[in-house]
Amino acid sequence: MSGQALDRIRIVLVRTSHPGNIGAAARAMKTMGLRQLWLVAPEHFPDPVAAARASGATDILDRAQVVESLGDALQGTVFSLALSARRREWSVPPVGAREAVGQLLPLTRQGEVALVFGHEATGLTNDELALCSQPVMIPTDPAFSSLNLGAAVQLLCYELRMAALAGAPAAEAVPPDNLATFDEIEGFHGHLLQAMTESGFYEPSNPKRLLPRVRRLFGRIRLEREEVNILRGILSALQRKT
Amino acid sequence: MSGQALDRIRIVLVRTSHPGNIGAAARAMKTMGLRQLWLVAPEHFPDPVAAARASGATDILDRAQVVESLGDALQGTVFSLALSARRREWSVPPVGAREAVGQLLPLTRQGEVALVFGHEATGLTNDELALCSQPVMIPTDPAFSSLNLGAAVQLLCYELRMAALAGAPAAEAVPPDNLATFDEIEGFHGHLLQAMTESGFYEPSNPKRLLPRVRRLFGRIRLEREEVNILRGILSALQRKT
């Protein structure tokens, strides 16, 4: 079970600027038995510095998927954690790494999941964070929270391995059976945006904080496939009456 | 309690060859709130490469104690863990990092304790290992156990911080400020039922499981007052177009 679960976890690095950090992440992953590295618009890749820092984990680099947007890297996933150094005003509050990994691991039985790490200096944009299911934080000392990207990947991969080795998922946390995938949820958000715009509730010229608030609301639910169908059915019925 | 406990833990690096690893260890320590770095016969120290990799944790380097032997670094300690990558024939069997840290932390009430890391390539000698109370191992993938020294320090300091925080009262789990009341949520469900009925999506004569499913969906999160207002605003806008 543990190996299978770890094979279904994507480590996604977004707009990484230093190739050494990509290599360090590959090494960190391999020591903990993870294999799937996804790179969103890396500044330099492939790069000899990445290969040198990978130090024997070059197979992870060779098989890395390079894509253009975070949405591409999340296609087909059923859950994603986003590392967040700071608390954002409009997002779901972050949970600690150990707890978050305890949520994520059982969901590998339903499909692929992702752990997303932003740019070294600027992190993830608010739009990128909004694509992910749950922010996660590493409980560093508030007086000095400057974790290197490779170190952050190392800590989260370690927690994943520890959780996988612990085996049986926590009995209370039975995950819902039939989670919607990233693309199904994005389809719902697209439909909702269209209905809100048509009806005049959402004014693109005066967006205020409406879209982030709506994403934060539905992002907390972890929608099931059937629930997405119900919500879209309600929207379609209301639109038809128009 | 947590801060005091962490102040009583010495991170001891023995015969480290690369000064970059000393800097990375200092940074890893500081992110987790540890302060005491002891260096046994480092090959290069002080060194600008160490300072660069410390990245803001140079105060840890400035106060590092440089000594000649592991025995010097362990003077006055009441317990010590030694990181051991491989099982030695004659030593005490190693315990996992999480369990070992659980043993170590309470002993800080009795005096200083140490966590000892050997040379990058060759580890600790048998004589050095014999000076320590207990070997500890990080449960890496047996097929690729090549943890960087900085990464090993990072993982153990993280476990120390997690254990120290577990002893402190949980500061988190602050509930959202502005939860909707029962009657506001019921008002939303009444409004949604009306909109679903008007639009023909809900047929009272053939209810199936629609209403319980909708309640289960929105019942999984604790809606805030502002979110109820947004949801009802969307419904009203779609109804007005009707």
Side-chain angles (χ1 to χ4, degrees):
Chain A
M1 127 83 187
S2 87
Q4 278 175 8
L6 297 178
D7 283 348
R8 291 176 148 219
I9 301 169
R10 301 179 189 176
I11 300 296
V12 181
L13 306 185
V14 181
R15 291 176 286 103
T16 311
S17 64
H18 297 297
N21 286 333
I22 297 176
R27 180 175 178 178
M29 288 169 60
K30 192 166 179 180
T31 58
M32 296 299 153
L34 283 97
R35 286 157 213 287
Q36 278 203 57
L37 176 61
W38 290 65
L39 302 172
V40 177
E43 287 189 24
H44 306 280
F45 187 82
D47 190 287
V49 174
R53 283 284 291 283
S55 179
T58 43
D59 55 324
I60 305 274
L61 296 180
D62 292 343
R63 286 181 317 201
Q65 303 270 352
V66 181
V67 294
E68 283 183 16
S69 72
L70 178 55
D72 293 338
L74 295 179
Q75 283 294 319
T77 59
V78 297
F79 188 73
S80 56
L81 293 174
L83 186 70
S84 174
R86 57 205 157 88
R87 174 78 164 84
R88 319 272 180 126
E89 196 180 354
W90 294 104
S91 75
V92 183
V95 299
R98 190 162 296 171
E99 182 186 344
V101 159
Q103 291 172 11
L104 175 113
L105 202 73
L107 297 174
T108 55
R109 275 188 248 119
Q110 292 182 47
E112 302 229 329
V113 300
L115 234 132
V116 180
F117 299 82
H119 179 272
E120 289 95 330
T122 55
L124 295 170
T125 65
N126 286 334
D127 285 348
E128 287 165 344
L129 197 59
L131 294 179
C132 300
S133 316
Q134 169 70 55
V136 52
M137 56 96 182
I138 294 172
T140 48
D141 188 338
F144 186 78
S145 58
S146 158
L147 263 187
N148 169 266
L149 175 58
V153 173
Q154 183 74 70
L155 288 176
L156 278 157
C157 290
Y158 167 74
E159 283 288 6
L160 286 166
R161 182 168 188 80
M162 290 297 287
L165 291 175
E172 22 75 58
V174 179
D177 324 337
N178 202 9
L179 289 182
T181 62
F182 172 78
D183 8 328
E184 288 163 342
I185 289 173
E186 289 305 302
F188 161 65
H189 278 295
H191 192 164
L192 181 60
L193 177 61
Q194 181 201 27
M196 290 194 302
T197 309
E198 272 175 21
S199 68
F201 185 73
Y202 174 65
E203 295 249 22
S205 63
N206 183 20
K208 302 201 184 125
R209 303 290 307 166
L210 181 61
L211 299 187
R213 294 210 70 147
V214 165
R215 283 204 171 251
R216 174 172 172 278
L217 190 171
F218 287 103
R220 292 214 298 288
I221 301 182
R222 282 202 278 160
L223 289 166
E224 297 172 19
R225 179 165 301 133
E226 187 61 32
E227 292 176 334
V228 168
N229 292 340
I230 289 171
L231 290 170
R232 295 194 66 168
I234 295 170
L235 288 175
S236 295
L238 285 162
Q239 287 178 306
R240 262 198 303 279
K241 289 280 287 187
T242 304
Chain B
M1 126 83 186
S2 87
Q4 277 176 11
L6 296 178
D7 283 347
R8 291 175 151 221
I9 300 169
R10 302 180 188 174
I11 300 296
V12 181
L13 307 186
V14 181
R15 291 176 286 104
T16 310
S17 65
H18 297 294
N21 286 333
I22 297 176
R27 181 175 179 178
M29 289 169 60
K30 192 167 179 179
T31 58
M32 297 298 153
L34 282 98
R35 288 158 212 286
Q36 280 202 56
L37 177 61
W38 292 64
L39 302 172
V40 177
E43 288 190 24
H44 305 280
F45 188 83
D47 190 286
V49 174
R53 283 285 291 281
S55 177
T58 44
D59 55 323
I60 305 274
L61 296 180
D62 293 343
R63 287 180 319 202
Q65 304 271 350
V66 182
V67 295
E68 284 182 16
S69 72
L70 178 56
D72 294 338
L74 296 178
Q75 282 294 318
T77 59
V78 296
F79 188 75
S80 57
L81 293 174
L83 186 70
S84 174
R86 57 205 158 90
R87 174 81 165 83
R88 318 273 181 127
E89 201 177 353
W90 295 105
S91 75
V92 184
V95 298
R98 189 162 296 172
E99 182 186 345
V101 159
Q103 293 172 11
L104 175 115
L105 202 75
L107 297 173
T108 56
R109 275 186 245 120
Q110 296 179 45
E112 302 228 330
V113 299
L115 233 131
V116 180
F117 299 82
H119 179 272
E120 290 94 330
T122 56
L124 295 169
T125 65
N126 286 335
D127 286 349
E128 287 165 343
L129 198 58
L131 295 178
C132 300
S133 316
Q134 170 69 56
V136 53
M137 56 95 182
I138 294 172
T140 47
D141 189 338
F144 186 79
S145 58
S146 159
L147 263 187
N148 170 268
L149 175 58
V153 172
Q154 183 73 71
L155 288 176
L156 278 156
C157 289
Y158 166 74
E159 283 289 6
L160 286 165
R161 182 169 189 80
M162 289 297 286
L165 290 175
E172 319 276 311
V174 181
D177 335 332
N178 204 10
L179 290 182
T181 62
F182 171 80
D183 21 317
E184 288 162 342
I185 289 171
E186 288 307 302
F188 161 65
H189 278 294
H191 192 164
L192 181 60
L193 177 60
Q194 182 201 26
M196 289 193 303
T197 310
E198 271 175 21
S199 67
F201 186 75
Y202 175 64
E203 296 249 21
S205 63
N206 184 19
K208 302 199 183 127
R209 304 283 308 159
L210 182 60
L211 298 187
R213 294 209 71 146
V214 166
R215 285 209 169 248
R216 174 172 170 276
L217 190 170
F218 288 104
R220 288 216 293 286
I221 57 171
R222 290 185 291 167
L223 286 166
E224 297 173 18
R225 177 167 301 131
E226 187 62 29
E227 291 176 334
V228 168
N229 291 341
I230 289 172
L231 290 170
R232 295 195 64 169
I234 295 170
L235 289 174
S236 295
L238 284 163
Q239 289 176 305
R240 260 197 305 278
K241 291 278 288 183
T242 306

